[in-house]
Amino acid sequence: MSSSASPTPRRADSPDPASHTTNVYDNENEWTDDTVDEDNDDIDFEGTTGDTETSNDDIEYFESLEDDDEDGIDEADYHDADDGLSGVEIELTMEDGSGNLQSINTITDDTAPQPERAAAPERTTTGAIQISREQIIQLLGRNTFARFFATNVDTTPARQTRAQAARAARAEDEEDDDETVGLASILGARARRRAQPPKSKPPVVIKPSKEGKRLLAMGIFGDNAYGPRCHGKRKPLASRLMERELGFDRMWGKNTNGLISQGLLPVSSTSTPDMVIHYDYRCYSGQFSDDGNFYYSCAQDFKVRMYDTSNPYDWKHYKTVYFPHGQWTITDSTLSPDNKWLAYSSLRTHVCLASTDPNDNSEPHYLDFANWGGRRTRGINGGHGHYGQKIYSVRFSGDGRELVAGTGDNCVMVYDLETRRTILKIPGHEDDVNAVCFGDAKSPHILYSGSDDTLIKIWDRRSLGDSREAGVFMGHTEGVTYVDSKGDGRYVLSNGKDQTMKLWDLRKMMPTEKASQLDFRRSGTGFDYRWMAYPDDEYEKHPHDCSLVSYRGHQVLKTLIRCHFSPPGSTDSRYVYSGSADGKVYIYNIDGTIAGKIDVYDSTFNTRPRDRRHGSNWGYDDDSTGAWKTCVRDASWHPNAPLIAATSWNGYSADSGSCTVHSWNDGVGDDEAEPKVGRVLDARLREDDRFRTRKSVRESRLRSNRVTATNNYDDDGW
């Protein structure tokens, strides 16, 4: 390109920038001294002409050079940007800090081959540079130009400005990156920015899993919305009902009833729950029965409370049973298939078995898992029973004749209810067994066990002659907190302390021979989930992960947080969901994307008063302020209604508990029907004057903001 001289234009003569086809820039008057951002804006662009007028407008544009062509461009000097920058040369001069002009080496496109040229005499004077707008845009994306301005400056500390030093460091660190350089940096205009506050971590974008999409397309997990206008989008209920009435479901081969039930997620745009049940102690678990007529919750006061949920929107408390001489808390509970018996455990060697009949007030039965072969044994590691064989998890078999338990001495135990003794004890893990379950709802043969040794093992009771597992699920890098079966003998779900929930297929389990040759613990970070935050930057996928889909977004901290498949009846297990230490219930699509969240923290905030116990933290939290905290430990989806009950550690310092009921309401914040939405009740479903509804909390917050406008927070912590 030519570099012919051009008179310095005046500001008033500059036409509209959009009309320019070429831009002229004179860099001889460029300065490098620091100035103060007097107008206190975010960024200053200062012109480079000799005009004394100062302005904070954009960089000035100048008249293009005149020529004889109609378009105002000299064809001999014009270079088509579409042809690349091969052969394009730009010659500039810059001050060396002492007022002298330095001749700068020519910039060329180093990505294109250059033909050999004869040596040309060095030019020591330069004028204006004429380049097209398209070529400037291409240069902005070239590292060549960025490295040029970063390296061709005076590197003496006294003469190097902050902007130059920053550009030099950035070019050195990102030499191989195609970073776009701003127009102000390219042209040498000084950019001064005020110090900005640290930005919050951007949300993680979850991409659908290919395997999960395949499972959805196969129809294994629910119905799919096929049709010319569906495109997989979730439609409103009214649209689904209209399609069903018009017969579009038969026309397109869709199961509209299934799509309707799947779309009724119990997630509301408002924070008002159907009901909040407050407990004086932390709540550890709660589940609906398979028919939905029964709900039970377990709290740290060693009480199991039973509720009649035949009307899922109007619960009735009818019975409470107790675990005598329990240790720490009730760790787990399970309901028999016929709903007549409830088994629940603590950190002891025995399990309590209580009747669910409201007219049966008898004491619970004690099932001693230490009774092995007609004699009471010590723990497998030689310790006393209540230390070595503390029970973390217990489950009924599909036929209701047996109980399987996971213990603190690394064992899986099977208890026969007819003979009242332990008939099977498998020392199959290297750490605590936190979760157990049966693989098939109708068969007692296949068992699953999840342990703090990061493994999920599959046991076939028909081939346990050598006490070896039938296979292994390997993929978690930290301990497994919970295992749930879909009930079809094939798919299994697990939660792990590595902050992931994983979906497994029994047909893709790792053989025992291969698993025994691998170091399955080498991927762990060694953090303690009870009082440490998980180091996300250290997370690495397990090199031998054999899971189908991994779900990330929830937090598995503080306690053994649980996960489940959505009900097979109403949703056909289309979703999986988990509690979380951040006070939410996360509902995931099978492909790994988030379908919705239930904010239990916001639903219960400040709905109960502070008492003397609050603020102790119980060793689980380093925050001594006693702020309101929520950790959702378990959740249960009603099998027939679009409703989820979440059991949580809740309250000031999370020292109390709650069970919150959330239903689908199509975004409506209030309901005219009975019972009223937003009730706050005690453990026996009685109203208490100490408790406040979510509506009264919001009104209190508004009054506080109006009365004391200068305070950012009131006494409630808002």
Side-chain angles (χ1 to χ4, degrees):
M1 289 185 295
S2 65
S3 59
S4 59
S6 174
T8 303
R10 291 176 298 158
R11 185 175 181 84
D13 297 334
S14 180
D16 181 25
S19 64
H20 280 280
T21 56
T22 58
N23 299 326
V24 178
Y25 170 68
D26 187 356
N27 71 338
E28 288 190 4
N29 295 321
E30 170 69 10
W31 59 85
T32 59
D33 59 316
D34 290 340
T35 59
V36 180
D37 187 5
E38 296 180 354
D39 54 357
N40 199 26
D41 57 359
D42 283 343
I43 185 166
D44 273 349
F45 292 117
E46 301 185 15
T48 58
T49 65
D51 197 351
T52 59
E53 178 184 358
T54 59
S55 173
N56 58 356
D57 294 334
D58 293 339
I59 297 176
E60 296 185 9
Y61 290 82
F62 301 93
E63 294 282 2
S64 59
L65 298 179
E66 298 181 356
D67 55 32
D68 298 332
D69 296 336
E70 295 180 357
D71 57 0
I73 301 175
D74 189 355
E75 294 182 355
D77 296 336
Y78 179 74
H79 182 83
D80 190 356
D82 294 335
D83 296 336
L85 295 177
S86 176
V88 176
E89 298 183 359
I90 301 175
E91 184 174 321
L92 304 174
T93 60
M94 297 186 68
E95 280 189 330
D96 59 2
S98 60
N100 300 322
L101 295 178
Q102 286 185 332
S103 178
I104 308 299
N105 293 333
T106 300
I107 309 172
T108 62
D109 181 11
D110 55 1
T111 61
Q114 302 293 330
E116 295 183 0
R117 299 183 182 183
E122 182 178 357
R123 289 172 290 182
T124 58
T125 61
T126 60
I129 302 173
Q130 178 179 347
I131 57 177
S132 68
R133 189 169 55 208
E134 291 82 359
Q135 290 170 341
I136 289 178
I137 294 175
Q138 285 202 6
L139 286 174
L140 294 181
R142 298 284 180 171
N143 254 351
T144 306
F145 217 38
R147 291 197 303 270
F148 168 77
F149 279 106
T151 55
N152 288 274
V153 295
D154 191 351
T155 57
T156 306
R159 301 185 182 275
Q160 191 177 21
T161 65
R162 291 191 301 270
Q164 291 171 344
R167 286 196 296 269
R170 184 167 60 251
E172 182 179 356
D173 294 339
E174 303 177 359
E175 184 175 354
D176 298 329
D177 296 336
D178 290 330
E179 180 184 6
T180 301
V181 182
L183 184 61
S185 299
I186 292 296
L187 300 180
R190 292 173 297 121
R192 305 283 191 271
R193 291 189 181 273
R194 294 194 304 267
Q196 300 292 333
K199 297 182 178 179
S200 59
K201 187 177 180 180
V204 178
V205 178
I206 302 177
K207 297 182 179 180
S209 165
K210 293 182 179 180
E211 186 65 25
K213 293 171 66 176
R214 185 186 68 85
L215 293 174
L216 290 176
M218 293 172 61
I220 299 176
F221 293 89
D223 297 297
N224 293 309
Y226 296 112
R229 295 180 298 173
C230 294
H231 305 292
K233 298 180 180 179
R234 183 177 298 145
K235 289 186 176 181
L237 175 62
S239 299
R240 295 292 186 199
L241 294 175
M242 183 187 68
E243 290 179 359
R244 186 177 64 180
E245 294 300 322
L246 295 177
F248 289 167
D249 54 342
R250 294 186 297 273
M251 182 186 305
W252 295 336
K254 296 188 303 182
N255 181 6
T256 303
N257 290 333
L259 295 175
I260 289 175
S261 61
Q262 289 175 185
L264 303 182
L265 289 179
V267 178
S268 174
S269 58
T270 65
S271 299
T272 303
D274 287 34
M275 178 174 57
V276 178
I277 306 174
H278 278 301
Y279 302 99
D280 291 334
Y281 294 84
R282 289 171 171 169
C283 200
Y284 272 72
S285 63
Q287 287 293 307
F288 286 104
S289 61
D290 290 339
D291 58 6
N293 294 328
F294 181 82
Y295 182 84
Y296 57 92
S297 63
C298 306
Q300 204 167 8
D301 57 358
F302 303 104
K303 292 181 181 179
V304 181
R305 295 167 175 89
M306 305 181 191
Y307 302 93
D308 178 7
T309 58
S310 54
N311 181 353
Y313 301 98
D314 189 11
W315 294 18
K316 294 179 174 61
H317 173 268
Y318 73 90
K319 191 174 183 179
T320 298
V321 294
Y322 183 69
F323 193 110
H325 311 294
Q327 182 176 343
W328 180 246
T329 186
I330 294 180
T331 55
D332 202 3
S333 57
T334 178
L335 192 63
S336 63
D338 58 5
N339 292 352
K340 292 183 178 180
W341 299 95
L342 180 71
Y344 48 104
S345 62
S346 183
L347 298 180
R348 297 291 189 182
T349 60
H350 61 274
V351 171
C352 287
L353 187 67
S355 172
T356 61
D357 187 353
N359 299 319
D360 188 351
N361 297 321
S362 61
E363 293 292 326
H365 302 280
Y366 298 97
L367 309 179
D368 192 357
F369 275 67
N371 184 8
W372 171 259
R375 59 186 178 88
R376 196 175 190 278
T377 62
R378 297 161 67 91
I380 193 170
N381 295 328
H384 293 286
H386 66 284
Y387 292 114
Q389 288 182 343
K390 52 189 178 183
I391 297 176
Y392 286 107
S393 180
V394 62
R395 283 291 176 272
F396 264 105
S397 63
D399 55 10
R401 296 180 178 180
E402 296 175 342
L403 287 171
V404 60
T407 68
D409 58 356
N410 315 338
C411 293
V412 177
M413 306 179 72
V414 179
Y415 188 91
D416 187 87
L417 293 173
E418 293 183 358
T419 61
R420 295 296 178 96
R421 66 184 183 92
T422 301
I423 60 175
L424 184 62
K425 188 173 185 179
I426 311 170
H429 287 275
E430 297 184 9
D431 212 327
D432 296 344
V433 180
N434 296 324
V436 292
C437 71
F438 284 93
D440 194 337
K442 299 180 181 180
S443 174
H445 298 302
I446 303 299
L447 302 175
Y448 298 104
S449 60
S451 170
D452 273 336
D453 63 8
T454 74
L455 298 181
I456 301 171
K457 293 190 175 183
I458 303 98
W459 309 92
D460 190 343
R461 296 180 56 188
R462 296 165 293 188
S463 58
L464 280 178
D466 55 355
S467 296
R468 297 186 64 187
E469 64 273 11
V472 175
F473 288 143
M474 187 178 296
H476 282 293
T477 58
E478 304 288 347
V480 178
T481 65
Y482 196 74
V483 177
D484 185 41
S485 173
K486 189 174 182 288
D488 58 358
R490 178 179 297 178
Y491 294 103
V492 184
L493 190 69
S494 66
N495 233 359
K497 299 174 185 176
D498 56 359
Q499 315 305 301
T500 62
M501 180 170 55
K502 290 182 178 289
L503 178 66
W504 313 85
D505 189 343
L506 185 62
R507 298 169 297 181
K508 296 187 177 183
M509 67 180 181
M510 184 178 295
T512 305
E513 294 75 13
K514 180 180 179 180
S516 60
Q517 301 174 2
L518 301 176
D519 183 8
F520 55 87
R521 283 200 170 194
R522 66 179 182 177
S523 300
T525 61
F527 92 111
D528 194 322
Y529 75 106
R530 292 172 293 180
W531 41 69
M532 295 174 62
Y534 184 77
D536 290 320
D537 54 342
E538 299 181 14
Y539 172 78
E540 294 182 2
K541 184 179 179 180
H542 198 289
H544 305 287
D545 189 358
C546 60
S547 63
L548 297 180
V549 186
S550 295
Y551 307 87
R552 294 184 64 88
H554 60 292
Q555 298 179 7
V556 186
L557 301 171
K558 306 298 182 186
T559 183
L560 303 178
I561 292 177
R562 305 185 170 195
C563 61
H564 303 278
F565 288 96
S566 63
S570 59
T571 66
D572 204 5
S573 302
R574 186 173 183 84
Y575 308 102
V576 293
Y577 59 100
S578 172
S580 179
D582 62 358
K584 297 181 178 66
V585 178
Y586 284 76
I587 303 174
Y588 296 91
N589 296 303
I590 289 297
D591 61 5
T593 57
I594 295 179
K597 301 177 187 178
I598 299 175
D599 196 339
V600 179
Y601 169 84
D602 197 39
S603 300
T604 60
F605 182 80
N606 276 6
T607 54
R608 71 173 299 154
R610 188 191 302 267
D611 59 36
R612 292 178 299 175
R613 296 186 308 104
H614 296 142
S616 63
N617 294 319
W618 291 34
Y620 275 87
D621 206 323
D622 57 359
D623 183 9
S624 59
T625 60
W628 188 279
K629 297 180 182 296
T630 304
C631 174
V632 181
R633 193 179 192 272
D634 196 8
S636 181
W637 198 318
H638 194 279
N640 305 318
L643 180 145
I644 282 182
T647 49
S648 313
W649 297 2
N650 211 348
Y652 296 98
S653 299
D655 274 350
S656 53
S658 70
C659 173
T660 55
V661 181
H662 308 262
S663 67
W664 175 86
N665 58 9
D666 205 15
V668 178
D670 201 355
D671 194 349
E672 297 178 354
E674 293 291 340
K676 293 294 185 181
V677 173
R679 295 175 298 159
V680 182
L681 310 172
D682 66 4
R684 298 176 66 89
L685 303 186
R686 299 171 302 190
E687 294 185 357
D688 193 324
D689 294 337
R690 299 178 303 160
F691 301 149
R692 298 191 298 172
T693 64
R694 189 71 184 111
K695 181 178 180 180
S696 65
V697 171
R698 288 196 297 266
E699 292 174 352
S700 175
R701 177 189 178 188
L702 292 175
R703 287 195 302 269
S704 176
N705 291 339
R706 286 195 298 265
V707 173
T708 311
T710 57
N711 293 334
N712 293 329
Y713 302 95
D714 59 14
D715 295 336
D716 293 331
W718 286 92

